Amino acid sequence: VLFRSAKWSTRKGAVNCYHILLMLEAETAVLNGDKELAKQKYDAAITASARVGFIHDRALANERAGEYMFHLGDKYLAFHYLNVAIQLYSRWGANAKAEHLL
């Protein structure tokens, strides 16, 4: 499914979906144990979602990156990503989600 999504995304020029593909690639890298690739894909998803203005997806990418960094034991980066996620969820109006992350 991921391969078909990547193929469709590049063939159709689906800018609105590219950041989702990057998040899926980050999650796949996590499952495969590729820490560096996972971080790169999370960061790329954050940048891509910011570029197209999808604040909720940017928040989600930050949240997932933060949870992954926490799992790896990097509390500094985890705090950074999760703090950004909280700010973005609040800006988007998802205050209950932001409070949940606190």
Side-chain angles (χ1 to χ4, degrees), residues 33-69:
D34 193 339
K35 299 172 188 173
E36 188 58 35
L37 181 61
K39 185 180 180 319
Q40 290 172 1
K41 293 294 183 174
Y42 281 129
D43 288 340
I46 291 165
T47 301
S49 60
R51 194 173 296 133
V52 293
F54 290 151
I55 193 169
H56 58 292
D57 289 332
R58 186 173 161 205
L60 178 61
N62 273 283
E63 178 184 359
R64 295 298 299 142
E67 289 174 350
Y68 183 57
M69 291 300 126

Side-chain angles (χ1 to χ4, degrees), residues 24-98:
L24 289 171
E25 290 175 347
E27 296 294 331
T28 301
V30 168
L31 292 174
N32 291 333
D34 193 339
K35 299 172 188 173
E36 188 58 35
L37 181 61
K39 185 180 180 319
Q40 290 172 1
K41 293 294 183 174
Y42 281 129
D43 288 340
I46 291 165
T47 301
S49 60
R51 194 173 296 133
V52 293
F54 290 151
I55 193 169
H56 58 292
D57 289 332
R58 186 173 161 205
L60 178 61
N62 273 283
E63 178 184 359
R64 295 298 299 142
E67 289 174 350
Y68 183 57
M69 291 300 126
F70 187 79
H71 172 75
L72 292 178
D74 190 337
K75 292 184 176 141
Y76 177 79
L77 268 181
F79 177 79
H80 167 74
Y81 283 119
L82 291 171
N83 190 43
V84 172
I86 290 166
Q87 292 173 15
L88 291 168
Y89 280 129
S90 294
R91 193 178 335 154
W92 188 49
N95 296 319
K97 179 62 179 177

